[in-house]
Amino acid sequence: MLNQTSVTEFLLLGVTDIQELWPLLFVVFLAIYFVNVAGNGTILMIVISDPRLHSPMYFFLGNLSCLDICYSTVTLPKMLGNFLSTHKAISFLGCISQLHFFHFLGSTESMLLAVMAFDRFVAICKPLHYTVIMNHQLCTQMAITIWIIGFFHALLHSVMTSHLNFCGSNHVHHFFCDVKPLLALACGKIEFNQWLLNTVTGMIAMGSFFLTLLSYFYIITHLFCKTHSCSTLHKALSTCASHFMVVILFFAPVVFTYIRPASGSSMDQDRIIAIMYSVVTPVLNPLIYTLRNKDVKRALSRMIRRRL
């Protein structure tokens, strides 16, 4: 049975209560969203259209770009609209839908980062077996699997949250509908919802983070033991460092937000931290993963020449 209380909509309180900052924040976040869509959209088009980039690494990079566009689209358009409106309402169904897709895309991205780290591990540590191990069938199966796991993980949260009773305030202390702010408004027992958040979400986040760390640990160990060229070692380590930066920027705020216990005093912190992994990281991904990538630069040049 779905929510049977009188609450039919929620009011999103947004990033800040200072109205004088809303126009400036609207311009800043609109620019960030435009860069995100343009940057990740360009990478997606290049990966799809250029046959030279039809390899496992770029297949997963295309998935990441698609996720980043969708991930920001779940929260940013509604946030931008609220900056221009005094009535910041979202329907009950819209709120649950936003919660679902946010956790669906977020958990899928965390697992995808682990898969991408594994791909780099095989490419660097097992180069002679790379094409055999990371074949097209395995890559497709891994991508489909993490998307399915992400969907059903989010479905747990959306279904269980929709069954809660909301008998008090409908003011959500966030700029989008998330589990923790909604649990703070719920009446009755929320222990199972809290367990889902801490255990299931925590297991996906921490499991993906651990596997990513493990892959990079083996990569760095292999490079130090097997690579005798300083220039090659420096290039490989700098590439790993840039990729690892994306991992830290994504996982650190997620772990801080969802693993620690919920408390009313943490809501302002949660809003600021959520901006990091839902707004900033999706913009940085195309820059960090492709800024020094010669293959992507060449593919972009070829695409520009074809269009001129």
Side-chain angles (χ1 to χ4, degrees):
M1 186 185 297
L2 294 178
N3 165 62
Q4 295 296 312
T5 63
S6 59
V7 173
T8 58
E9 65 178 19
F10 293 99
L11 299 179
L12 298 172
L13 298 186
V15 178
T16 178
D17 299 328
I18 306 174
Q19 296 188 18
E20 290 77 10
L21 293 176
W22 291 355
L24 175 61
L25 291 175
F26 173 82
V27 173
V28 170
F29 284 113
L30 180 63
I32 290 174
Y33 185 59
F34 176 78
V35 172
N36 174 19
V37 174
N40 285 294
T42 301
I43 292 174
L44 195 56
M45 285 192 299
I46 291 172
V47 169
I48 292 173
S49 62
D50 198 315
R52 296 177 181 86
L53 299 184
H54 291 176
S55 65
M57 174 182 174
Y58 296 108
F59 170 72
F60 293 127
L61 183 60
N63 274 263
L64 181 66
S65 294
C66 179
L67 276 170
D68 282 335
I69 293 173
C70 298
Y71 195 40
S72 291
T73 301
V74 170
T75 58
L76 268 176
K78 182 62 179 176
M79 183 206 290
L80 292 170
N82 286 343
F83 281 134
L84 304 177
S85 173
T86 55
H87 187 59
K88 307 175 187 301
I90 183 171
S91 68
F92 183 85
L93 180 59
C95 187
I96 297 299
S97 298
Q98 190 180 54
L99 180 154
H100 173 81
F101 283 102
F102 183 80
H103 280 270
F104 167 35
L105 298 166
S107 57
T108 303
E109 179 159 341
S110 70
M111 291 181 285
L112 179 63
L113 290 173
V115 170
M116 292 176 74
F118 174 73
D119 172 69
R120 291 299 84 207
F121 160 73
V122 177
I124 294 172
C125 302
K126 309 279 185 181
L128 299 179
H129 301 93
Y130 180 69
T131 55
V132 177
I133 297 173
M134 300 301 294
N135 58 72
H136 177 72
Q137 183 179 3
L138 178 64
C139 293
T140 304
Q141 287 174 346
M142 286 195 295
I144 292 173
T145 300
I146 61 176
W147 280 84
I148 291 174
I149 292 174
F151 178 83
F152 282 103
H153 161 250
L155 193 63
L156 281 173
H157 283 304
S158 56
V159 170
M160 295 310 300
T161 305
S162 69
H163 282 71
L164 293 173
N165 290 320
F166 298 95
C167 54
S169 171
N170 66 340
H171 290 67
V172 179
H173 291 263
H174 218 309
F175 59 90
F176 66 93
C177 287
D178 199 2
V179 177
K180 284 182 70 175
L182 290 179
L183 291 183
L185 303 179
C187 305
K189 295 182 178 180
I190 60 170
E191 287 80 6
F192 183 70
N193 300 74
Q194 193 66 56
W195 178 84
L196 282 177
L197 191 64
N198 293 337
T199 305
V200 180
T201 302
M203 185 171 62
I204 289 177
M206 293 305 296
S208 300
F209 186 45
F210 174 76
L211 291 175
T212 305
L213 285 178
L214 191 63
S215 294
Y216 280 114
F217 172 77
Y218 278 115
I219 288 171
I220 293 171
T221 303
H222 175 84
L223 289 173
F224 274 111
C225 294
K226 300 292 185 180
T227 305
H228 303 291
S229 170
C230 291
S231 60
T232 304
L233 179 62
H234 179 267
K235 181 180 178 182
L237 288 176
S238 64
T239 301
C240 289
S242 62
H243 292 186
F244 192 67
M245 188 190 307
V246 173
V247 172
I248 294 299
L249 286 173
F250 180 82
F251 280 108
V254 169
V255 170
F256 185 79
T257 300
Y258 293 106
I259 305 304
R260 66 194 174 93
S263 62
S265 61
S266 67
M267 290 302 177
D268 290 337
Q269 290 180 339
D270 286 348
R271 283 187 283 188
I272 296 171
I273 294 169
I275 292 174
M276 282 298 299
Y277 61 81
S278 65
V279 178
V280 177
T281 304
V283 176
L284 295 178
N285 279 345
L287 297 176
I288 292 175
Y289 274 100
T290 63
L291 196 60
R292 291 175 292 178
N293 191 303
K294 294 180 180 179
D295 292 334
V296 173
K297 288 180 180 179
R298 293 193 194 101
L300 181 59
S301 299
R302 287 192 293 269
M303 187 178 73
I304 292 174
R305 285 198 298 269
R306 285 197 300 267
R307 294 182 180 276
L308 292 178

